[in-house]
Amino acid sequence: MTQPPPPCSASWPATRAGAVLRVDLAALVRNYGHVAGLAQGAACAAVVKADAYGLGAAQVAPVLEQAGAREFFVAHVDEGLALRPYVSPQARITVLHGPRPDAVEACLANGLRPVLNSLEQIGWVQAVARQRGTVVDAVLQLDTGMSRFGLSEADIHTLANDPSAFDGLSLSLIMSHLACADNPQDPANAMQAARLRAYAALLPPAPLSLAASSGVFLGPDYHFNLVRPGAALYGVAPQTGQANPLEAVVRLQAHVLQTRQLRAGDRVGYGLTWQAPGPCRVATIGVGYADGFARQGAALGCAWFKGRRLPVVGRISMDSMTVDITDLPAGELEADGMVDLLDATHGVDAVAQAEGTIGYEVLTSLGRRYHRVYDTAGVAHPGS
Ligand SMILES: *Cc1c(COP(=O)(O)O)cnc(C)c1O
């Protein structure tokens, strides 16, 4: 039986947390539909590693399965074990890093499909297959240029010349991963696709997979038999410098904890690094670097209120930051109000730009102490 997802919001009231993180599951489903539609002809898996990029795999995966995803990818065996109860028994869970020797049993006993990234790893899994007297369904990962995971060209030739190389294994996918897919002009993309084709021709026939989110947007030459999007499902822009065709999935609203009037020359925050240039009003809000808003984002960071930009002033503290609300009409935003840190038009990529990082890191850094609300409007929510 599939375990119903945990309740849609924590049982403690929103007002006890510093901020409310809303996850729009209908937008998630539309993003999945958009990506799967682009990759027509290939199956569309869903990557839900790192707790679905911080959004909650137990909530996100069942909704994606309902939307048509039949395959899920996680990084570690532990993540696969945690996910297993939340998707149907038919749903396939693949472990990108594959198991280390002491985790092969747990991986196989729980129906997790291992990715085999090295000759050693192939050996570990074959040893257990032999003990169990079974054939293990597995994925082979090939290194086509990123030098991170997968079999090297030399490994591939070793396997190709060994008639017993795949004893005890049934290869249901051969995959690789693109290093530069966010830039369609990068010649590494076509080089990696060509290597995947050439290497796979040396190995037993199996479906092929190369594209993650950005790779899907490179076009049909990159789709092969299965695409593996993660970030795009959660609203991250797939191509740098291009308009983002995906919808924001998260909205983060922070509580205003205190407001105050400053005189010219008053200073704000640790180190007193910011000085009021004239009379101004500031608000302190309940989100800080412990909640995923990096200190180095302070200079360019901001919150939003009714379409107006409220710049961060001074350093970001662990549990709070202070924003300039001078431009708001008096009385419009008081203690107990809320401001947006992420919304439909100012999303994780905008915050990433202020922090000098990428949307992926902003998403996966979002704090664990937000009050989370899973918005199910328009979604046939499993378990309900
Ligand atoms: C993380 C990951 C993905 C998903 O990548 P996105 O860019 O988030 O779509 C796909 N394949 C592999 C091997 C990964 O590590």
Side-chain angles (χ1 to χ4, degrees), residues 17-19 253-262 267-270 274 280-289 291 302-303 310-326 328 333-341:
Q253 296 167 285
H255 287 290
V256 173
L257 305 178
Q258 191 168 7
T259 62
R260 72 179 70 241
Q261 181 71 43
L262 302 184
R267 290 173 179 269
V268 174
Y270 281 118
W274 190 82
C280 66
R281 274 171 56 73
V282 295
T284 298
I285 64 178
V287 169
Y289 61 75
D291 305 294
C302 65
L310 312 174
V312 172
V313 292
R315 289 192 185 145
I316 293 175
S317 300
M318 185 185 292
D319 318 300
S320 68
M321 64 179 99
T322 301
V323 296
D324 186 345
I325 60 168
T326 313
L328 299 181
L333 182 64
E334 298 294 344
D336 215 28
M338 295 187 98
V339 297
D340 280 318
L341 285 170

Side-chain angles (χ1 to χ4, degrees), residues 210-234:
L210 181 60
S213 295
S214 300
V216 173
F217 290 80
L218 294 176
D221 286 352
Y222 294 85
H223 296 164
F224 294 93
N225 303 106
L226 176 83
V227 296
R228 312 183 307 268
L233 308 180
Y234 313 117

Side-chain angles (χ1 to χ4, degrees), residues 142-156:
L142 312 182
D143 178 11
T144 54
M146 196 174 175
S147 309
R148 186 179 69 164
F149 287 110
L151 300 158
S152 68
E153 186 169 10
D155 294 337
I156 294 164

Side-chain angles (χ1 to χ4, degrees), residues 47 49 53 73 96-97 141 148-149 175-177 210-214 228-232 360:
V47 179
K49 61 193 181 185
Y53 293 50
F73 285 78
L96 287 166
H97 293 184
Q141 175 147 231
R148 186 179 69 164
F149 287 110
M175 64 173 277
S176 191
H177 191 59
L210 181 60
S213 295
S214 300
R228 312 183 307 268
Y360 291 70

Side-chain angles (χ1 to χ4, degrees), residues 56 90 118 140 174 235 245 255 265 288 302:
Q90 302 84 291
S118 66
L140 208 57
I174 294 176
H255 287 290
C302 65

Side-chain angles (χ1 to χ4, degrees), residues 161-234:
N161 294 323
D162 176 358
S164 62
F166 298 102
D167 284 359
L169 301 177
S170 158
L171 296 186
S172 50
L173 190 70
I174 294 176
M175 64 173 277
S176 191
H177 191 59
L178 293 165
C180 306
D182 59 329
N183 176 11
Q185 314 310 330
D186 200 306
N189 297 323
M191 185 268 287
Q192 288 194 268
R195 282 190 184 164
L196 176 60
R197 284 198 175 82
Y199 293 162
L202 303 171
L203 297 168
L208 301 180
S209 176
L210 181 60
S213 295
S214 300
V216 173
F217 290 80
L218 294 176
D221 286 352
Y222 294 85
H223 296 164
F224 294 93
N225 303 106
L226 176 83
V227 296
R228 312 183 307 268
L233 308 180
Y234 313 117

